[in-house]
Structures are given as structure tokens and as C-alpha cells.
Amino acid sequence: MKTQLITSLLHKHSESKSQTLKELKKVCDDFESEILNFFLKEAMDSTNALFPESPGEKIYKSMYQEQLSKELSGNFGYSKLLFDYLKEKV
């Protein structure tokens, strides 16, 4: 009886930790996305033929940079570095 209870509690703890690590990974990827968004804003600050000047230029450029940073996040190493450090704290 006690063995089943302990096994059940350990299983719940491992599920809980697994969920926590998944959430931590997502937060780390989101943080990396913000860093990349900052880099992209700086890199794309000049005039560019790809983004002709128009009334909606700033909005379009901002949306493009945000989506690009989300797609690239998780692949540059900032997220992994932060995740590896923080998962030891969980």
C-alpha cells in the first residue's frame, strides 16, 4: 500500500517536473526571441529596397521582424544556455 502511494507521488512529481521543464523551455525560447527581435531591429534600421517607404512601412517591418525572431528562436544557443542553467534550479 505504501509502495503504491510512493510510486504514485513520484509519478506525479515527474509529470509535474516534466511540465515545468516544458514551460521553462518555452519561456527561454521567448526570451531568445526578444533578444533576436532587438538585433533584427538594429540590423534593419536602415532604408532597404525590400521595405519601400510607405505609410505602413514601420508596422510591416515590425511585424516581419517579430515573426522572424519567433521563427529563429531556439536555434541560436541563448535559449539552450539559459535553459540548461535554470533547469538545475527547478
Side-chain angles (χ1 to χ4, degrees):
M1 185 72 155
K2 288 183 182 181
T3 308
Q4 289 175 337
L5 180 60
I6 292 171
T7 305
S8 174
L9 288 173
L10 288 175
H11 183 66
K12 285 181 182 179
H13 176 70
S14 67
E15 284 179 357
S16 172
K17 186 169 182 167
S18 174
Q19 183 63 29
T20 302
L21 290 176
K22 285 179 186 177
E23 291 171 4
L24 178 62
K25 176 68 174 143
K26 182 178 179 346
V27 169
C28 290
D29 286 347
D30 290 345
F31 180 73
E32 184 178 79
S33 176
E34 289 298 319
I35 292 172
L36 293 173
N37 195 12
F38 172 77
F39 289 154
L40 287 169
K41 282 181 183 177
E42 290 298 316
M44 298 176 78
D45 196 22
S46 64
T47 57
N48 188 337
L50 183 61
F51 300 105
E53 293 199 22
S54 65
E57 174 186 7
K58 288 182 181 179
I59 295 170
Y60 178 72
K61 191 185 279 188
S62 173
M63 290 170 53
Y64 176 71
Q65 292 165 348
E66 185 177 330
Q67 188 61 35
L68 189 59
S69 67
K70 286 180 183 178
E71 294 295 323
L72 293 173
S73 70
N75 297 315
F76 275 80
Y78 300 117
S79 176
K80 182 177 178 353
L81 182 69
L82 186 60
F83 177 76
D84 288 344
Y85 175 75
L86 292 176
K87 77 178 179 182
E88 301 300 322
K89 309 289 185 204
V90 173

